[in-house]
Amino acid sequence: MSSRKLKNILVTGGAGFIGSNFINYLFGMSATGEKAFMDSGFTGNIVNVDCLTYAGNLENLAQVEEKFGGKRYFFEKVDICDRAEIERIFKQYDIDTVIHFAAESHVDRSILGPEAFVRTNVMGTFTLLDVARTYWNVSLDNPRDDVLFHHISTDEVYGSLGKTGYFTETTPYDPRSPYSSSKASSDHLVMAYYHTYALPITLSNCTNNYGPYQFPEKLLPLMISNIRDGKNLPVYGEGLNIRDWIYVEDHNRAVWQIVNDGKTGEKYNIGGENEWQNIKLLHKVIELTSAEVGKSAAEVEKTIVHVKDRPGHDARYAIDCTKIKKELGWERKMTFEQGLSMTVKWYLTHPDWVNHILSGEYKNWINRNYSDR
Ligand code: NAD
Ligand code: TYD
């Protein structure tokens, strides 16, 4: 049994895709209402620190705000790079746990404009680590086991796989994009704070997430909404790149298990054991989405366009998650068949959520940056 308090949790990036699903999960408000994701047992308080970039959306948390706002849930519109504000929040809420999701998260944007990635992912993570170290007054001479800093990271830090093999927790880092290299830097800082200052940390590296509330610039929600709207389906290169897909709430259950029972100073890989070539996954999404919106899948197939490949496009990601399964007894609860079908339905039954994003600043951003979609 860990002696962690887990009473006043600072969640960063809680208005984004994974972070908002995490907060909903902790408060028993799973977006899809699946029983398997209603059992967090969380009894503490959450302070959600998010500066609401283009990717932050408080609509994702409307139910939590309504039921728990000002009681067990508090929102602070704050930038994680703002040290004075982060210090204030640690003091004001007597933070004992940090679960750090906030990041610039989209590879394509990191290629177009890497600076924001270095700022938030590297400097922002540094700021949080350093405030936690100071506020908790930890050092090698004063170690503590009642507080915790959990850092959320990605499998992309390990680089690109060939046809065979898997990333394990000991695979050397070999990031290729500005996004993955900024995340790799943040992972290294987290481990450095553990070794140098005895900051109690855990770290997780996860594969591609899918599910409700994902910003529609990412592959799955983009394709679902483009099929709905009769738009082209842009496939980078031949579409032969492989990703391992995990349902977002399975990821979040893993994070919660690590935060509760993970060993301090350890990193855990989290994966879906569910590899798909992009083009094959797109065929599947076309089949499911066309059926839901009453279009002919064969006609929708004709809207696939092979666009210029992403520079430095990693060929394959795949995770070996034996460690978290063996040590913490974590297992995936969502099959891909069920999860993908529920996800397609979720986007189609939440047109207001999707349209709000598609009609806002994002539309101008697409027009500014791409001529082929
Ligand atoms: P997202 O882009 O949907 O959300 C990021 C959130 O962070 C947004 O709400 C945004 O407003 C907030 N944010 C950004 N910069 C900030 C700043 N300077 N200060 C405060 N808030 C800020 O991202 P996501 O997909 O939910 O990813 C969350 C975390 O999970 C990231 O750390 C990402 O690297 C990691 N991750 C994502 C995936 C995936 O498939 N999406 C897979 C593995 C790991
Ligand atoms: P993405 O959702 O951006 O996640 P990541 O780059 O972090 O893996 O992309 C998933 C895969 O889909 C990736 O190989 C790039 C590809 N892709 C396309 O082919 N077309 C698109 O329009 C997008 C956004 C991604």
Side-chain angles (χ1 to χ4, degrees):
M1 268 281 279
S2 97
S3 52
R4 292 175 189 143
K5 293 184 195 160
L6 308 180
K7 189 162 178 288
N8 298 324
I9 301 185
L10 167 52
V11 172
T12 69
F17 163 47
I18 306 179
S20 64
N21 274 291
F22 182 76
I23 294 175
N24 279 310
Y25 161 66
L26 249 53
F27 282 117
M29 292 186 168
S30 158
T32 42
E34 281 295 294
K35 261 209 183 120
F37 303 106
M38 304 288 266
D39 62 350
S40 74
F42 175 62
T43 54
N45 308 309
I46 287 183
V47 185
N48 174 13
V49 168
D50 195 304
C51 71
L52 302 181
T53 67
Y54 79 95
N57 188 348
L58 289 178
E59 290 169 44
N60 306 359
L61 293 161
Q63 275 182 289
V64 167
E65 180 63 56
E66 193 185 316
K67 196 156 173 210
F68 298 101
K71 298 176 200 129
R72 291 177 55 206
Y73 170 75
F74 305 87
F75 175 68
E76 292 274 1
K77 186 173 183 305
V78 163
D79 190 316
I80 57 166
C81 301
D82 185 339
R83 184 170 184 126
E85 277 292 88
I86 298 295
E87 283 174 346
R88 171 187 65 78
I89 286 165
F90 265 77
K91 271 196 205 120
Q92 184 173 330
Y93 298 96
D94 190 20
I95 297 299
D96 54 60
T97 310
V98 176
I99 305 182
H100 176 32
F101 292 93
E104 288 291 341
S105 70
H106 190 40
V107 175
D108 294 332
R109 286 187 190 246
S110 82
I111 296 166
L112 290 163
E115 193 172 340
F117 287 71
V118 176
R119 183 182 176 277
T120 286
N121 301 358
V122 184
M123 283 308 292
T125 302
F126 158 73
T127 304
L128 290 164
L129 287 165
D130 209 54
V131 172
R133 168 180 80 88
T134 315
Y135 183 74
W136 292 335
N137 190 26
V138 287
S139 67
L140 291 173
D141 298 327
N142 186 36
R144 290 179 65 170
D145 59 6
D146 57 336
V147 291
L148 182 73
F149 189 111
H150 180 77
H151 179 60
I152 314 288
S153 193
T154 165
D155 59 353
E156 304 189 24
V157 298
Y158 298 121
S160 182
L161 287 167
K163 283 200 169 65
T164 57
Y166 297 92
F167 299 131
T168 71
E169 285 81 358
T170 55
T171 301
Y173 278 27
D174 185 20
R176 311 294 182 92
S177 72
Y179 164 65
S180 55
S181 51
S182 67
K183 291 296 291 187
S185 310
S186 65
D187 290 13
H188 289 317
L189 277 170
V190 169
M191 293 312 288
Y193 267 66
Y194 170 67
H195 290 295
T196 311
Y197 304 114
L199 184 76
I201 63 96
T202 45
L203 198 165
S204 52
N205 297 82
C206 189
T207 54
N208 285 59
N209 286 222
Y210 72 95
Y213 301 129
Q214 187 166 31
F215 195 89
E217 65 188 348
K218 302 273 168 69
L219 183 71
L220 287 176
L222 174 86
M223 295 302 177
I224 297 167
S225 54
N226 279 12
I227 296 169
R228 182 197 74 167
D229 297 342
K231 290 190 176 160
N232 283 346
L233 309 176
V235 171
Y236 297 167
E238 294 302 305
L240 303 181
N241 306 63
I242 292 174
R243 299 290 181 264
D244 170 16
W245 295 91
I246 186 170
Y247 185 63
V248 62
E249 296 194 295
D250 271 326
H251 176 193
N252 282 333
R253 280 180 44 257
V255 167
W256 190 227
Q257 262 183 273
I258 296 168
V259 168
N260 277 276
D261 301 319
K263 213 167 145 215
T264 302
E266 294 281 319
K267 86 202 293 281
Y268 296 86
N269 280 353
I270 306 167
E273 297 176 308
N274 175 42
E275 292 179 49
W276 286 81
Q277 224 173 34
N278 290 340
I279 191 73
K280 288 197 176 142
L281 180 56
L282 180 56
H283 293 319
K284 183 90 195 141
V285 172
I286 290 176
E287 182 192 312
L288 289 171
T289 311
S290 314
E292 287 292 328
V293 297
K295 292 189 180 179
S296 138
E299 285 304 309
V300 174
E301 286 281 341
K302 291 183 193 156
T303 61
I304 294 178
V305 281
H306 289 273
V307 298
K308 191 163 174 276
D309 206 352
R310 174 186 278 172
H313 197 170
D314 290 338
R316 174 172 166 256
Y317 303 141
I319 277 265
D320 177 341
C321 50
T322 310
K323 178 174 172 177
I324 188 167
K325 285 171 142 184
K326 278 205 172 143
E327 290 188 12
L328 303 183
W330 172 82
E331 286 290 342
R332 274 169 296 117
K333 291 199 175 172
M334 185 65 86
T335 64
F336 192 53
E337 188 125 311
Q338 192 194 358
L340 189 60
S341 150
M342 273 176 28
T343 300
V344 166
K345 285 190 184 126
W346 190 88
Y347 285 95
L348 296 176
T349 54
H350 291 77
D352 291 350
W353 188 93
V354 176
N355 295 342
H356 189 184
I357 292 172
L358 294 183
S359 62
E361 167 53 21
Y362 177 57
K363 191 174 164 191
N364 303 330
W365 185 85
I366 289 277
N367 292 338
R368 271 200 311 276
N369 289 292
Y370 299 103
S371 55
D372 53 5
R373 61 204 78 161

